[in-house]
Amino acid sequence: MDFISLFAQVVSILGKCPRYFCYLFIGVSLIACEEKSPETKVPTEKADVILHTDLGDIHVKLFDETPRHKANFLKLARRGFFDSLSFNRIIYDFMIQSGDPRYRNGGIDTSQEAGPGYELEAEFREEFVHTRGMIGAARKPDEENEERKSAGSQFYIVTGKTVKAAVLDTMETVGTGFRRGNLYTKFQQSLADSSFSGSFQDFLQKEDFTDFSYPIKQKQLYMQLGGAPHLDFTYTLFGKVLEGMDIVMDISKMPTNSYNVPKDTIRILSAEVL
């Protein structure tokens, strides 16, 4: 039986059963109207940089809220600093990393510095968290970097894995401590310049302090698409992937050695500033 004949029979049967036809119509309508996932949506924001890689293009949006990191990334891109640099660190279900000038065209030059020769002051923003596709600045460990300054050029793109609600509950407690710590620094400054007199508790009330809680959308992204919430509040996030997350995921699946270095060379061929 050809398709047209079969379709005619189905319509005939449904015509005799209006209720089932109605259910079918509703079901098809719901499927047709279902919102696309965040990874397949057509972006409405404009990219600032396109990373042309061996596997395809990654369109990057840089955040105005982290001006030092945005300006630095644009400066390096315009200079051609990222051109031919390899993705030198890949941890599956976590992140991919590049921006280290020692790793170029698949080779390793240990005589080179690991960056442009400077670090950046941290620009932590609690509204930016490590959901899949976010871009952050790598840095040295806390033991040798108390101020948590960012590396001058090394960056990572989060891939991550799905996160359980209990983990997010724990990280909300961490976020509350982060928020309280920022206010305590502000409290100390206000005492020093005599703009406030009173206890820290009084200052918290004055600032309308509330505990930190992830917005519903961020929780959904963590639980449905994944991320790396254990890095929240301690690493500067300065951008996100608008298009090309499929390329990022392809890179994240490349085989690595025991040091998380890819066995095959995957390069940023060039970084195009738009």
Side-chain angles (χ1 to χ4, degrees), residues 93-244:
D93 274 351
F94 180 24
M95 61 87 201
I96 65 174
Q97 184 169 318
S98 187
D100 188 334
R102 296 174 299 179
Y103 295 83
R104 192 177 299 275
N105 287 322
I108 304 174
D109 185 356
T110 55
S111 67
Q112 289 278 340
E113 295 290 329
Y118 57 82
E119 295 177 313
L120 298 174
E121 295 291 333
E123 293 181 291
F124 300 139
R125 304 283 300 195
E126 68 175 42
E127 67 265 36
F128 298 142
V129 297
H130 285 77
T131 50
R132 177 174 292 185
M134 294 292 279
I135 302 173
R139 64 173 178 81
K140 294 177 182 177
D142 290 358
E143 309 85 74
E144 49 185 301
N145 182 20
E146 291 184 2
E147 297 178 0
R148 293 172 172 169
K149 291 182 178 180
S150 300
S153 60
Q154 294 191 46
F155 66 94
Y156 58 89
I157 304 176
V158 178
T159 56
K161 56 185 177 181
T162 55
V163 182
K164 294 182 179 179
V167 174
L168 296 180
D169 290 343
T170 299
M171 288 309 302
E172 285 181 336
T173 302
V174 175
T176 297
F178 171 76
R179 182 179 286 181
R180 183 182 291 268
N182 285 341
L183 285 177
Y184 186 74
T185 300
K186 186 177 178 180
F187 167 66
Q188 294 288 352
Q189 292 171 345
S190 68
L191 291 180
D193 61 22
S194 301
S195 60
F196 180 81
S197 60
S199 67
F200 181 49
Q201 191 61 39
D202 294 335
F203 188 78
L204 291 178
Q205 291 179 355
K206 171 181 173 293
E207 295 290 323
D208 296 323
F209 174 80
T210 57
D211 290 347
F212 173 82
S213 179
Y214 288 108
I216 294 297
K217 183 177 180 180
Q218 288 181 347
K219 287 185 176 181
Q220 290 175 336
L221 288 173
Y222 266 137
M223 297 175 72
Q224 295 174 10
L225 293 182
H230 64 283
L231 298 184
D232 287 349
F233 321 115
T234 57
Y235 284 75
T236 296
L237 290 165
F238 63 91
K240 64 180 178 181
V241 174
L242 290 184
E243 294 182 68

Side-chain angles (χ1 to χ4, degrees), residues 3-24:
F3 175 78
I4 294 177
S5 300
L6 178 61
F7 181 75
Q9 284 195 15
V10 171
V11 171
S12 176
I13 294 170
L14 289 174
K16 298 175 182 178
C17 306
R19 182 179 60 179
Y20 296 117
F21 183 80
C22 181
Y23 290 161
L24 178 64

